[in-house]
Amino acid sequence: MFSPLPSAQLFMAAGLANVPLLPLCGAFLIGRTVSYTLYVTAATAAEETIRHVFDYGEISPSTIIIQLTGLGAIILMIKLDWIRIIDWTRARLAHLRGRPAPPSVRPPSDGL
């Protein structure tokens, strides 16, 4: 089960909602098996790539490119106006569905 909740909180919420435990455990087992398999596969692929980068030294062109790309991605994530992007996306989806644009997610300023 792909859930943003940690497993303890997921099962607490299920207990409070009187969700049948057997189907929840089955879905949780399948979800954990799939997600952990994906994690291991991704980690194995990353390990091979990182091992190749480290085998050729820390000042190789590929290492420098990876570091600069990561730094650029971090700067881009910080500098983007995410509220404007979210508002634009929500308005676009509403337009495609023939609905009026929803209100902005930007909190109103108090004038302070």
Side-chain angles (χ1 to χ4, degrees), residues 53-74:
V53 169
F54 283 138
D55 285 345
Y56 291 99
E58 293 180 11
I59 57 171
S60 69
S62 58
T63 305
I64 293 170
I65 289 171
I66 289 171
Q67 290 178 356
L68 291 176
T69 302
L71 183 61
I74 290 170

Side-chain angles (χ1 to χ4, degrees), residues 1-73:
M1 175 181 295
F2 295 104
S3 170
L5 295 174
S7 59
Q9 286 79 1
L10 177 70
F11 282 103
M12 278 190 231
L16 291 172
N18 291 326
V19 174
L21 195 56
L22 190 60
L24 178 68
C25 287
F28 182 78
L29 176 67
I30 292 169
R32 276 292 167 103
T33 303
V34 169
S35 64
Y36 284 178
T37 301
L38 291 173
Y39 297 156
V40 169
T41 303
T44 302
E47 186 268 337
E48 292 171 5
T49 303
I50 291 170
R51 180 180 304 272
H52 176 74
V53 169
F54 283 138
D55 285 345
Y56 291 99
E58 293 180 11
I59 57 171
S60 69
S62 58
T63 305
I64 293 170
I65 289 171
I66 289 171
Q67 290 178 356
L68 291 176
T69 302
L71 183 61

Side-chain angles (χ1 to χ4, degrees), residues 86-87 89-95 99-105:
I86 292 169
D87 284 343
T89 303
R90 291 175 69 213
R92 179 77 179 134
L93 289 173
H95 174 74
R99 298 181 181 157
S104 174
V105 294

